[in-house]
Amino acid sequence: MIIEMRKGATQKEINGVTQRAKSLGMDTQMNLGTDKTVVAILGSDTGKVSTDLFAILPGVESVTRIMKPYKLSSREFHKQNSIVNVNGVEIGASQPIVVMAGPCAVESAAQLNKAAEIVKSAGARILRGGAFKPRTSPFSFQGLKEKGLELLGQVSEEYGMPVISEVTDTQEVEAMAACCSILQVGSRNMQNFVLLSAVGKSKRPVVLKRGFSCTVTEWLTAADYILAEGNNQVILCERGIRTFEDSTRFSLDISSIPVIKRASHLPVIVDPSHAAGHYALVPALAKAAVAAGADGLLIEVHPNPKEALVDGLQSLSPSDFTRLMKELKPIAESVGRSM
Ligand code: PEP
Ligand code: MN
């Protein structure tokens, strides 16, 4: 921790900082400039100490942490890339790009069956589908809930595809973990710390979507909540952030992919559908994500987007999805990956 003293801070004020450090069991190192004094606070436990304890002292201009707030998700903690194994499908391995695809929401047995058939034959390895749909408005379709879960379990078995679905409540975790291979934590719940700890205890792989108003640092710190429970099967998912730009639903932060790859050992996938908000934009964003080093994609596909109960405008039709999967292949190969 670095404490910058105000210009003209008195010796008494500087002593106040060193005394506080001492009382917390920490050492200090002084840097006496002509104008300003800077005090470095040293000790292995500085991460646990609130910066407020120094910021509040008289004569202190600013307090800056040197250590990152996240630990378990950092590359310093774990040098090699982590690989998450979902029933034999590896996410984060050096080669294949894993595509998870399917409808935003499970609507019926026929719809889910058709979606599974389409995405599987186009090369997707994991089926997505929401059973519990936390919508922006309480009056919108909220998903088939338990019935949706049951359908996911059946279709997963029938097509031999692992399934990913969103968990919205700690009370759903157990039932979801029984029929879903991956638990998805949605953007709106990225900082629901009780839910993060609950999925951490479940021992199922977790896709942690980025909160649309959260920084990469906050995202990795949220991932630590899951990892801290002993669940190391965490996959990060960039899904767009809120910016001033309104020509897309959210702004896909492509740079978060290489940023995460440097900062963390966790696999990172991209959801171009919720970022784009429009089917016509999804292929370009998906290609950009693969080119930028994403380990996988989460794409909304509906057998008949015009009839979709949720997110029809951003859902790819069967033919658009099949075409995209073909177009992604050479892009994956150009960055040393396969599809
Ligand atoms: C979803 O994947 O269906 C979803 C609601 O995504 P997000 O949490 O990113 O909005
Ligand atoms: Mn959706």
PDB file of all heavy atoms in Angstrom, residues 309-334:
ATOM      1  N   LEU A 309     -40.138 -16.816 -27.545  1.00  0.00           N
ATOM      2  CA  LEU A 309     -40.765 -16.080 -26.443  1.00  0.00           C
ATOM      3  C   LEU A 309     -39.803 -15.069 -25.822  1.00  0.00           C
ATOM      4  O   LEU A 309     -40.228 -14.096 -25.210  1.00  0.00           O
ATOM      5  CB  LEU A 309     -41.252 -17.055 -25.358  1.00  0.00           C
ATOM      6  CG  LEU A 309     -42.356 -18.039 -25.755  1.00  0.00           C
ATOM      7  CD1 LEU A 309     -42.763 -18.894 -24.557  1.00  0.00           C
ATOM      8  CD2 LEU A 309     -43.577 -17.292 -26.311  1.00  0.00           C
ATOM      9  N   VAL A 310     -38.506 -15.347 -25.959  1.00  0.00           N
ATOM     10  CA  VAL A 310     -37.482 -14.466 -25.384  1.00  0.00           C
ATOM     11  C   VAL A 310     -36.337 -14.295 -26.370  1.00  0.00           C
ATOM     12  O   VAL A 310     -35.881 -15.276 -26.967  1.00  0.00           O
ATOM     13  CB  VAL A 310     -36.890 -15.072 -24.074  1.00  0.00           C
ATOM     14  CG1 VAL A 310     -36.024 -14.046 -23.354  1.00  0.00           C
ATOM     15  CG2 VAL A 310     -37.970 -15.594 -23.145  1.00  0.00           C
ATOM     16  N   ASP A 311     -35.865 -13.077 -26.537  1.00  0.00           N
ATOM     17  CA  ASP A 311     -34.649 -12.780 -27.303  1.00  0.00           C
ATOM     18  C   ASP A 311     -34.650 -13.315 -28.740  1.00  0.00           C
ATOM     19  O   ASP A 311     -33.590 -13.730 -29.258  1.00  0.00           O
ATOM     20  CB  ASP A 311     -33.398 -13.284 -26.541  1.00  0.00           C
ATOM     21  CG  ASP A 311     -33.055 -12.393 -25.344  1.00  0.00           C
ATOM     22  OD1 ASP A 311     -33.615 -11.278 -25.239  1.00  0.00           O
ATOM     23  OD2 ASP A 311     -32.226 -12.810 -24.524  1.00  0.00           O
ATOM     24  N   GLY A 312     -35.803 -13.276 -29.390  1.00  0.00           N
ATOM     25  CA  GLY A 312     -35.885 -13.744 -30.777  1.00  0.00           C
ATOM     26  C   GLY A 312     -35.025 -12.923 -31.727  1.00  0.00           C
ATOM     27  O   GLY A 312     -34.404 -13.471 -32.646  1.00  0.00           O
ATOM     28  N   LEU A 313     -34.966 -11.622 -31.507  1.00  0.00           N
ATOM     29  CA  LEU A 313     -34.237 -10.751 -32.440  1.00  0.00           C
ATOM     30  C   LEU A 313     -32.745 -11.065 -32.485  1.00  0.00           C
ATOM     31  O   LEU A 313     -32.099 -10.909 -33.510  1.00  0.00           O
ATOM     32  CB  LEU A 313     -34.474  -9.279 -32.053  1.00  0.00           C
ATOM     33  CG  LEU A 313     -33.898  -8.233 -33.001  1.00  0.00           C
ATOM     34  CD1 LEU A 313     -34.494  -8.364 -34.402  1.00  0.00           C
ATOM     35  CD2 LEU A 313     -34.115  -6.820 -32.456  1.00  0.00           C
ATOM     36  N   GLN A 314     -32.207 -11.528 -31.340  1.00  0.00           N
ATOM     37  CA  GLN A 314     -30.761 -11.802 -31.317  1.00  0.00           C
ATOM     38  C   GLN A 314     -30.451 -13.285 -31.533  1.00  0.00           C
ATOM     39  O   GLN A 314     -29.289 -13.675 -31.529  1.00  0.00           O
ATOM     40  CB  GLN A 314     -30.154 -11.333 -29.998  1.00  0.00           C
ATOM     41  CG  GLN A 314     -30.605 -12.133 -28.778  1.00  0.00           C
ATOM     42  CD  GLN A 314     -30.284 -11.434 -27.473  1.00  0.00           C
ATOM     43  OE1 GLN A 314     -30.313 -10.210 -27.394  1.00  0.00           O
ATOM     44  NE2 GLN A 314     -29.955 -12.182 -26.448  1.00  0.00           N
ATOM     45  N   SER A 315     -31.488 -14.097 -31.734  1.00  0.00           N
ATOM     46  CA  SER A 315     -31.265 -15.536 -31.914  1.00  0.00           C
ATOM     47  C   SER A 315     -30.956 -15.849 -33.372  1.00  0.00           C
ATOM     48  O   SER A 315     -31.618 -15.336 -34.275  1.00  0.00           O
ATOM     49  CB  SER A 315     -32.506 -16.314 -31.479  1.00  0.00           C
ATOM     50  OG  SER A 315     -32.749 -16.091 -30.115  1.00  0.00           O
ATOM     51  N   LEU A 316     -29.982 -16.738 -33.564  1.00  0.00           N
ATOM     52  CA  LEU A 316     -29.668 -17.150 -34.936  1.00  0.00           C
ATOM     53  C   LEU A 316     -30.652 -18.229 -35.364  1.00  0.00           C
ATOM     54  O   LEU A 316     -31.069 -19.070 -34.570  1.00  0.00           O
ATOM     55  CB  LEU A 316     -28.243 -17.701 -35.015  1.00  0.00           C
ATOM     56  CG  LEU A 316     -27.098 -16.710 -34.758  1.00  0.00           C
ATOM     57  CD1 LEU A 316     -25.756 -17.374 -35.053  1.00  0.00           C
ATOM     58  CD2 LEU A 316     -27.240 -15.449 -35.600  1.00  0.00           C
ATOM     59  N   SER A 317     -30.999 -18.198 -36.641  1.00  0.00           N
ATOM     60  CA  SER A 317     -31.837 -19.251 -37.208  1.00  0.00           C
ATOM     61  C   SER A 317     -30.941 -20.466 -37.446  1.00  0.00           C
ATOM     62  O   SER A 317     -29.704 -20.336 -37.453  1.00  0.00           O
ATOM     63  CB  SER A 317     -32.419 -18.774 -38.544  1.00  0.00           C
ATOM     64  OG  SER A 317     -31.353 -18.608 -39.458  1.00  0.00           O
ATOM     65  N   PRO A 318     -31.535 -21.634 -37.657  1.00  0.00           N
ATOM     66  CA  PRO A 318     -30.713 -22.818 -37.916  1.00  0.00           C
ATOM     67  C   PRO A 318     -29.722 -22.603 -39.065  1.00  0.00           C
ATOM     68  O   PRO A 318     -28.547 -22.973 -38.953  1.00  0.00           O
ATOM     69  CB  PRO A 318     -31.754 -23.888 -38.264  1.00  0.00           C
ATOM     70  CG  PRO A 318     -32.967 -23.454 -37.483  1.00  0.00           C
ATOM     71  CD  PRO A 318     -32.952 -21.960 -37.502  1.00  0.00           C
ATOM     72  N   SER A 319     -30.184 -21.991 -40.162  1.00  0.00           N
ATOM     73  CA  SER A 319     -29.266 -21.844 -41.304  1.00  0.00           C
ATOM     74  C   SER A 319     -28.162 -20.825 -41.010  1.00  0.00           C
ATOM     75  O   SER A 319     -27.004 -21.030 -41.377  1.00  0.00           O
ATOM     76  CB  SER A 319     -30.038 -21.468 -42.576  1.00  0.00           C
ATOM     77  OG  SER A 319     -30.750 -20.271 -42.346  1.00  0.00           O
ATOM     78  N   ASP A 320     -28.495 -19.744 -40.301  1.00  0.00           N
ATOM     79  CA  ASP A 320     -27.455 -18.753 -39.957  1.00  0.00           C
ATOM     80  C   ASP A 320     -26.403 -19.355 -39.020  1.00  0.00           C
ATOM     81  O   ASP A 320     -25.209 -19.085 -39.141  1.00  0.00           O
ATOM     82  CB  ASP A 320     -28.081 -17.520 -39.271  1.00  0.00           C
ATOM     83  CG  ASP A 320     -28.774 -16.604 -40.276  1.00  0.00           C
ATOM     84  OD1 ASP A 320     -28.590 -16.800 -41.498  1.00  0.00           O
ATOM     85  OD2 ASP A 320     -29.518 -15.700 -39.833  1.00  0.00           O
ATOM     86  N   PHE A 321     -26.875 -20.185 -38.084  1.00  0.00           N
ATOM     87  CA  PHE A 321     -25.932 -20.798 -37.135  1.00  0.00           C
ATOM     88  C   PHE A 321     -25.019 -21.786 -37.851  1.00  0.00           C
ATOM     89  O   PHE A 321     -23.808 -21.814 -37.640  1.00  0.00           O
ATOM     90  CB  PHE A 321     -26.684 -21.494 -35.994  1.00  0.00           C
ATOM     91  CG  PHE A 321     -25.764 -22.146 -34.991  1.00  0.00           C
ATOM     92  CD1 PHE A 321     -24.929 -21.379 -34.189  1.00  0.00           C
ATOM     93  CD2 PHE A 321     -25.725 -23.532 -34.853  1.00  0.00           C
ATOM     94  CE1 PHE A 321     -24.059 -21.973 -33.274  1.00  0.00           C
ATOM     95  CE2 PHE A 321     -24.865 -24.135 -33.936  1.00  0.00           C
ATOM     96  CZ  PHE A 321     -24.038 -23.355 -33.141  1.00  0.00           C
ATOM     97  N   THR A 322     -25.601 -22.584 -38.733  1.00  0.00           N
ATOM     98  CA  THR A 322     -24.810 -23.580 -39.453  1.00  0.00           C
ATOM     99  C   THR A 322     -23.747 -22.881 -40.313  1.00  0.00           C
ATOM    100  O   THR A 322     -22.590 -23.305 -40.356  1.00  0.00           O
ATOM    101  CB  THR A 322     -25.750 -24.455 -40.318  1.00  0.00           C
ATOM    102  OG1 THR A 322     -26.762 -24.977 -39.441  1.00  0.00           O
ATOM    103  CG2 THR A 322     -25.029 -25.590 -40.995  1.00  0.00           C
ATOM    104  N   ARG A 323     -24.152 -21.784 -40.940  1.00  0.00           N
ATOM    105  CA  ARG A 323     -23.194 -21.026 -41.769  1.00  0.00           C
ATOM    106  C   ARG A 323     -22.082 -20.450 -40.890  1.00  0.00           C
ATOM    107  O   ARG A 323     -20.900 -20.546 -41.210  1.00  0.00           O
ATOM    108  CB  ARG A 323     -23.912 -19.904 -42.533  1.00  0.00           C
ATOM    109  CG  ARG A 323     -22.994 -19.198 -43.525  1.00  0.00           C
ATOM    110  CD  ARG A 323     -23.686 -18.079 -44.330  1.00  0.00           C
ATOM    111  NE  ARG A 323     -25.054 -18.393 -44.691  1.00  0.00           N
ATOM    112  CZ  ARG A 323     -26.134 -17.753 -44.211  1.00  0.00           C
ATOM    113  NH1 ARG A 323     -25.991 -16.734 -43.386  1.00  0.00           N
ATOM    114  NH2 ARG A 323     -27.340 -18.095 -44.576  1.00  0.00           N
ATOM    115  N   LEU A 324     -22.463 -19.878 -39.761  1.00  0.00           N
ATOM    116  CA  LEU A 324     -21.459 -19.279 -38.860  1.00  0.00           C
ATOM    117  C   LEU A 324     -20.441 -20.322 -38.411  1.00  0.00           C
ATOM    118  O   LEU A 324     -19.233 -20.056 -38.392  1.00  0.00           O
ATOM    119  CB  LEU A 324     -22.152 -18.649 -37.642  1.00  0.00           C
ATOM    120  CG  LEU A 324     -21.208 -18.153 -36.532  1.00  0.00           C
ATOM    121  CD1 LEU A 324     -20.254 -17.070 -37.033  1.00  0.00           C
ATOM    122  CD2 LEU A 324     -22.000 -17.645 -35.330  1.00  0.00           C
ATOM    123  N   MET A 325     -20.908 -21.504 -38.051  1.00  0.00           N
ATOM    124  CA  MET A 325     -19.991 -22.545 -37.573  1.00  0.00           C
ATOM    125  C   MET A 325     -18.953 -22.876 -38.656  1.00  0.00           C
ATOM    126  O   MET A 325     -17.787 -23.111 -38.346  1.00  0.00           O
ATOM    127  CB  MET A 325     -20.774 -23.792 -37.171  1.00  0.00           C
ATOM    128  CG  MET A 325     -21.600 -23.612 -35.901  1.00  0.00           C
ATOM    129  SD  MET A 325     -20.610 -23.295 -34.432  1.00  0.00           S
ATOM    130  CE  MET A 325     -20.076 -24.948 -34.000  1.00  0.00           C
ATOM    131  N   LYS A 326     -19.399 -22.871 -39.914  1.00  0.00           N
ATOM    132  CA  LYS A 326     -18.453 -23.154 -41.018  1.00  0.00           C
ATOM    133  C   LYS A 326     -17.461 -21.999 -41.163  1.00  0.00           C
ATOM    134  O   LYS A 326     -16.267 -22.206 -41.368  1.00  0.00           O
ATOM    135  CB  LYS A 326     -19.225 -23.341 -42.326  1.00  0.00           C
ATOM    136  CG  LYS A 326     -19.983 -24.652 -42.367  1.00  0.00           C
ATOM    137  CD  LYS A 326     -20.411 -25.011 -43.796  1.00  0.00           C
ATOM    138  CE  LYS A 326     -21.285 -26.258 -43.758  1.00  0.00           C
ATOM    139  NZ  LYS A 326     -22.673 -26.014 -44.172  1.00  0.00           N
ATOM    140  N   GLU A 327     -17.981 -20.775 -41.036  1.00  0.00           N
ATOM    141  CA  GLU A 327     -17.117 -19.596 -41.225  1.00  0.00           C
ATOM    142  C   GLU A 327     -16.117 -19.423 -40.077  1.00  0.00           C
ATOM    143  O   GLU A 327     -15.079 -18.800 -40.238  1.00  0.00           O
ATOM    144  CB  GLU A 327     -17.985 -18.338 -41.345  1.00  0.00           C
ATOM    145  CG  GLU A 327     -18.749 -18.291 -42.664  1.00  0.00           C
ATOM    146  CD  GLU A 327     -19.756 -17.145 -42.751  1.00  0.00           C
ATOM    147  OE1 GLU A 327     -19.939 -16.397 -41.760  1.00  0.00           O
ATOM    148  OE2 GLU A 327     -20.375 -17.000 -43.813  1.00  0.00           O
ATOM    149  N   LEU A 328     -16.457 -19.969 -38.911  1.00  0.00           N
ATOM    150  CA  LEU A 328     -15.559 -19.819 -37.755  1.00  0.00           C
ATOM    151  C   LEU A 328     -14.308 -20.707 -37.876  1.00  0.00           C
ATOM    152  O   LEU A 328     -13.260 -20.384 -37.325  1.00  0.00           O
ATOM    153  CB  LEU A 328     -16.297 -20.185 -36.455  1.00  0.00           C
ATOM    154  CG  LEU A 328     -17.278 -19.147 -35.913  1.00  0.00           C
ATOM    155  CD1 LEU A 328     -18.109 -19.739 -34.772  1.00  0.00           C
ATOM    156  CD2 LEU A 328     -16.547 -17.892 -35.427  1.00  0.00           C
ATOM    157  N   LYS A 329     -14.464 -21.798 -38.628  1.00  0.00           N
ATOM    158  CA  LYS A 329     -13.393 -22.799 -38.690  1.00  0.00           C
ATOM    159  C   LYS A 329     -12.045 -22.199 -39.137  1.00  0.00           C
ATOM    160  O   LYS A 329     -11.047 -22.317 -38.429  1.00  0.00           O
ATOM    161  CB  LYS A 329     -13.830 -23.940 -39.616  1.00  0.00           C
ATOM    162  CG  LYS A 329     -13.081 -25.208 -39.391  1.00  0.00           C
ATOM    163  CD  LYS A 329     -13.809 -26.384 -40.044  1.00  0.00           C
ATOM    164  CE  LYS A 329     -13.042 -27.655 -39.816  1.00  0.00           C
ATOM    165  NZ  LYS A 329     -11.878 -27.809 -40.695  1.00  0.00           N
ATOM    166  N   PRO A 330     -12.009 -21.512 -40.302  1.00  0.00           N
ATOM    167  CA  PRO A 330     -10.702 -20.960 -40.717  1.00  0.00           C
ATOM    168  C   PRO A 330     -10.172 -19.884 -39.769  1.00  0.00           C
ATOM    169  O   PRO A 330      -8.960 -19.709 -39.648  1.00  0.00           O
ATOM    170  CB  PRO A 330     -10.988 -20.378 -42.116  1.00  0.00           C
ATOM    171  CG  PRO A 330     -12.463 -20.271 -42.224  1.00  0.00           C
ATOM    172  CD  PRO A 330     -13.046 -21.301 -41.313  1.00  0.00           C
ATOM    173  N   ILE A 331     -11.087 -19.187 -39.101  1.00  0.00           N
ATOM    174  CA  ILE A 331     -10.624 -18.152 -38.148  1.00  0.00           C
ATOM    175  C   ILE A 331      -9.966 -18.829 -36.950  1.00  0.00           C
ATOM    176  O   ILE A 331      -8.893 -18.430 -36.498  1.00  0.00           O
ATOM    177  CB  ILE A 331     -11.795 -17.239 -37.729  1.00  0.00           C
ATOM    178  CG1 ILE A 331     -12.296 -16.483 -38.956  1.00  0.00           C
ATOM    179  CG2 ILE A 331     -11.383 -16.264 -36.622  1.00  0.00           C
ATOM    180  CD1 ILE A 331     -13.596 -15.767 -38.790  1.00  0.00           C
ATOM    181  N   ALA A 332     -10.617 -19.894 -36.468  1.00  0.00           N
ATOM    182  CA  ALA A 332     -10.034 -20.660 -35.346  1.00  0.00           C
ATOM    183  C   ALA A 332      -8.658 -21.192 -35.756  1.00  0.00           C
ATOM    184  O   ALA A 332      -7.681 -21.078 -35.004  1.00  0.00           O
ATOM    185  CB  ALA A 332     -10.966 -21.801 -34.959  1.00  0.00           C
ATOM    186  N   GLU A 333      -8.571 -21.728 -36.964  1.00  0.00           N
ATOM    187  CA  GLU A 333      -7.301 -22.311 -37.411  1.00  0.00           C
ATOM    188  C   GLU A 333      -6.213 -21.245 -37.537  1.00  0.00           C
ATOM    189  O   GLU A 333      -5.046 -21.494 -37.256  1.00  0.00           O
ATOM    190  CB  GLU A 333      -7.506 -23.051 -38.737  1.00  0.00           C
ATOM    191  CG  GLU A 333      -8.204 -24.401 -38.490  1.00  0.00           C
ATOM    192  CD  GLU A 333      -8.804 -25.041 -39.739  1.00  0.00           C
ATOM    193  OE1 GLU A 333      -8.665 -24.436 -40.839  1.00  0.00           O
ATOM    194  OE2 GLU A 333      -9.416 -26.119 -39.587  1.00  0.00           O
ATOM    195  N   SER A 334      -6.619 -20.035 -37.941  1.00  0.00           N
ATOM    196  CA  SER A 334      -5.622 -18.971 -38.109  1.00  0.00           C
ATOM    197  C   SER A 334      -5.004 -18.540 -36.772  1.00  0.00           C
ATOM    198  O   SER A 334      -3.937 -17.938 -36.755  1.00  0.00           O
ATOM    199  CB  SER A 334      -6.240 -17.762 -38.819  1.00  0.00           C
ATOM    200  OG  SER A 334      -7.049 -17.042 -37.906  1.00  0.00           O
TER     201      SER A 334
END
